[in-house]
Amino acid sequence: MTSAPDNRIDARDIRKSFGDNTVLKGISFTVPRGTATTIIGPSGSGKTTLLRSLNALDIPDAGVVRIGDVEADFSGKVPRDQLRDYRAQSGMVFQSHNLFPHKTVLENVTEGPLIVQRRPADQVRAEAVELLGRVGLADKHDQYPSQLSGGQQQRVGIARALALQPKVVLFDEPTSALDPELVGEVLSVIRDLAVEGWTLIIVTHEIQFARQVSDQVLFTDRGVILERGTPAEVIDDPKEERTRQFLERILNPL
């Protein structure tokens, strides 16, 4: 593997099937360092599978992904140590929080850096305290997930992902499991990360949020990227009829 000039993400010809169901049909795109890319599209279009493939939670059947200077070629079997290094480049924020219920907020955030990365405990704790303050949870260190609202749990999930010091943060529909009144607090945290220059890939159904936060929007349908561009190009002035139909249903529901 050779060094890349920056921490951008390059995905080339990503393919994934589950049995006879081909979900990703050769997807390629680039996310420049310090930018936010949102992925929109109908249910079943492959958005979550694409995100999980980038993180190698689902191993692609084929394709090459480079995050910074770490590359994984999924056309063959990726060696275990290389796969571990590759996965360490990204942090994942899930739909349903996926917090450890028996651990406190602070323990959830420090788990990965301590156990997986084996970093010094004092340093990890100090960083976790700072991160929890950044996501508005400075007073929740000793509480358990069951004592938090859904929005607070998701903000813990964001802090947990950032604690791993990833080069890219992946968000899988981070507001889909939240009550409507809690959506704004989570989107506000993500918006702040974009402003701070984190490299973000966000699967979302929040079109107005995608318009506000994105440098690049990808519209996926039936396992391919059908349209890509800036929010002004894809959301405000889509070229493809399928994109226009999708946005009309989302933005102007009956």
Side-chain angles (χ1 to χ4, degrees):
M1 293 179 291
T2 59
S3 296
D6 59 26
N7 290 345
R8 70 178 185 176
I9 305 156
D10 283 309
R12 303 192 298 277
D13 199 30
I14 303 302
R15 299 175 182 271
K16 180 65 179 178
S17 297
F18 297 97
D20 295 331
N21 182 25
T22 301
V23 181
L24 303 179
K25 302 175 182 178
I27 285 184
S28 301
F29 65 97
T30 296
V31 177
R33 178 182 183 176
T35 65
T37 290
T38 54
I39 304 174
I40 63 173
S43 297
S45 63
K47 303 185 299 297
T48 291
T49 299
L50 174 57
L51 209 65
R52 291 176 62 87
S53 295
L54 294 176
N55 188 250
L57 289 172
D58 289 334
I59 303 295
D61 300 324
V64 178
V65 183
R66 177 187 289 272
I67 303 177
D69 59 357
V70 178
E71 182 176 280
D73 185 345
F74 297 105
S75 302
K77 184 175 177 60
V78 181
R80 180 176 297 180
D81 59 343
Q82 184 182 343
L83 189 62
R84 183 180 62 249
D85 291 343
Y86 171 78
R87 284 175 170 151
Q89 306 308 303
S90 61
M92 189 85 162
V93 179
F94 300 90
Q95 292 183 37
S96 54
H97 323 312
N98 284 20
L99 302 178
F100 296 110
H102 60 289
K103 292 183 179 292
T104 66
V105 165
L106 189 63
E107 289 169 342
N108 266 279
V109 175
T110 58
E111 175 87 0
L114 288 175
I115 304 302
V116 178
Q117 298 176 335
R118 298 184 179 181
R119 291 165 50 206
D122 289 347
Q123 177 186 354
V124 167
R125 180 182 173 85
E127 291 173 356
V129 168
E130 190 270 336
L131 283 171
L132 287 169
R134 286 174 59 191
V135 300
L137 297 173
D139 59 341
K140 305 295 183 183
H141 298 173
D142 297 325
Q143 294 195 11
Y144 289 86
S146 62
Q147 297 173 290
L148 305 178
S149 70
Q152 290 170 332
Q153 290 183 48
Q154 192 61 295
R155 284 185 278 154
V156 175
I158 293 171
R160 180 181 58 182
L162 297 179
L164 295 170
Q165 301 180 341
K167 293 178 180 175
V168 56
V169 187
L170 310 174
F171 295 85
D172 183 16
E173 299 209 26
T175 62
S176 65
L178 300 180
D179 293 333
E181 65 268 23
L182 302 177
V183 168
E185 64 186 67
V186 173
L187 295 184
S188 177
V189 171
I190 300 173
R191 189 178 293 108
D192 288 345
L193 296 178
V195 170
E196 291 170 14
W198 285 83
T199 305
L200 311 176
I201 302 179
I202 309 158
V203 169
T204 184
H205 61 280
E206 301 282 349
I207 302 301
Q208 300 294 357
F209 172 72
R211 178 187 281 116
Q212 295 168 8
V213 78
S214 305
D215 298 287
Q216 173 180 229
V217 179
L218 309 178
F219 174 72
T220 62
D221 189 40
R222 299 181 181 181
V224 300
I225 296 175
L226 198 60
E227 194 159 357
R228 73 185 76 199
T230 65
E233 292 168 335
V234 176
I235 297 175
D236 298 331
D237 188 25
K239 303 298 184 293
E240 298 290 334
E241 178 62 25
R242 182 69 185 93
T243 313
R244 288 195 290 269
Q245 292 173 352
F246 169 77
L247 291 170
E248 177 68 21
R249 283 200 297 269
I250 294 295
L251 297 174
N252 299 294
L254 294 178

